[in-house]
Amino acid sequence: MGTVRGVEATAAQKLALRDQLVTARGRRSLLEVSRSARSLAEHLLDTPEVRRAATVAAYVSIGTEPGTGPLLDALTASGRRVILPVVLPDLDLEWAVYDGPGALARARRGLLEPTGERLGLDAVATADVVLTPGLAVDRTGMRLGQGGGCYDRALGRVPVGTFTCTLLYDGELLDVVPSAPHDRPVTAVATPPA
């Protein structure tokens, strides 16, 4: 009985924190989102892990998420293989190669997904760098996502030691993020440089 209450309390804490963070992101202007996207791209392209990477698993940002457009373009222009997620009906993630913005299609939940050949669930394990969306990360690496568990499952397939990084805004690196046993940590966060 105590375990059920603990799970319910954690779920309620996550929901409240998500609402707070989504509201804060909703206040960001499109100009700020665009500037942050360019800064994030420059910052990440300068990290040793990304500079050494042959394959990067990333995602297409939507709305006021920290932007990934400039980063995706720069990664492909530099010859790196970029794979992007395709959300399956059970909310697991399959992966496909990114062939540029013209090879993206509208999908469920307002997402843009690659239209190329599907590489399967385990393709994420081939990436040298895995970049994830998220609303917050705490000082131990626990990540708070949107609540579907997509990336927790995907991160479970990533070999230990792989550079896993969540893109955030300033103020979204927290002391503690509520977590459950199925939640997977990341090894780093990236925020737009000041």
Side-chain angles (χ1 to χ4, degrees):
M1 189 82 107
T3 304
V4 171
R5 287 191 186 176
V7 169
E8 289 172 358
T10 299
Q13 291 168 345
K14 285 182 174 186
L15 184 60
L17 184 55
R18 275 189 196 101
D19 286 345
Q20 176 187 348
L21 294 164
V22 167
T23 299
R25 280 189 177 180
R27 292 188 183 117
R28 294 182 185 279
S29 71
L30 291 179
L31 180 60
E32 181 183 354
V33 171
S34 177
R35 284 183 182 152
S36 293
R38 288 190 302 277
S39 293
L40 265 174
E42 290 171 12
H43 176 60
L44 281 164
L45 292 166
D46 228 16
T47 63
E49 295 85 358
V50 174
R51 281 199 316 262
R52 287 191 303 259
T55 299
V56 176
Y59 63 97
V60 179
S61 59
I62 58 170
T64 56
E65 286 184 317
T68 59
L71 177 63
L72 296 175
D73 293 342
L75 288 169
T76 54
S78 67
R80 288 173 182 82
R81 179 176 180 249
V82 177
I83 60 174
L84 300 176
V86 175
V87 181
L88 299 174
D90 67 354
L91 300 182
D92 210 339
L93 299 178
E94 194 168 19
W95 300 84
V97 173
Y98 174 62
D99 290 319
L104 295 172
R106 293 245 169 246
R108 295 180 298 135
R109 298 177 168 224
L111 299 174
L112 288 171
E113 296 179 340
T115 57
E117 178 185 349
R118 303 276 178 92
L119 304 172
L121 299 173
D122 293 326
V124 69
T126 68
D128 304 299
V129 167
V130 178
L131 304 176
T132 73
L135 293 169
V137 173
D138 72 16
R139 305 237 176 244
T140 68
M142 289 312 271
R143 181 187 145 277
L144 180 71
Q146 292 286 351
C150 299
Y151 275 89
D152 290 314
R153 281 180 263 179
L155 288 168
R157 297 181 182 103
V158 174
V160 172
T162 301
F163 182 73
T164 55
C165 180
T166 299
L167 281 54
L168 300 174
Y169 291 111
D170 287 333
E172 295 176 343
L173 177 60
L174 306 177
D175 288 333
V176 176
V177 167
S179 62
H182 70 272
D183 292 327
R184 302 285 183 179
V186 293
T187 60
V189 298
T191 59

